[in-house]
Amino acid sequence: MTARITGVGFYQTTTHNGRRWAAADASLRKAEARKILKILAESRVARVLFEGTRAIGVELENGTRKGAAGEVIL
């Protein structure tokens, strides 16, 4: 059985100029040319490394540790 949706409402969607817009396109694409940004594509994070309550890097599943000078964004 197929769901039937009727009515009008406001829906939260990620669109730009009427087209689907991924979060990476919305924010990451503009910043990826910056030299201070390191993108670890297709990497699996095993844990976030902390110094007190501040995230200072990540440890990948293969045991590699990557430190961050500023922010850690997952």
Side-chain angles (χ1 to χ4, degrees):
M1 180 175 196
T2 332
R4 292 174 67 172
I5 301 172
T6 58
V8 177
F10 291 99
Y11 301 96
Q12 185 176 1
T13 61
T14 308
T15 56
H16 179 67
N17 292 331
R19 300 191 66 138
R20 183 186 175 280
W21 212 26
D25 295 326
S27 58
L28 190 58
R29 297 295 172 244
K30 294 177 184 177
E32 69 183 345
R34 297 180 185 171
K35 293 178 181 177
I36 62 169
L37 178 67
K38 179 68 175 174
I39 300 172
L40 303 174
E42 298 184 30
S43 297
R44 295 178 61 119
V45 174
R47 66 187 186 123
V48 178
L49 304 174
F50 285 92
E51 191 171 85
T53 58
R54 184 175 178 268
I56 59 167
V58 294
E59 181 178 317
L60 304 179
E61 279 191 340
N62 66 6
T64 304
R65 289 183 170 210
K66 299 288 184 176
E71 297 175 294
V72 175
I73 302 171
L74 303 175

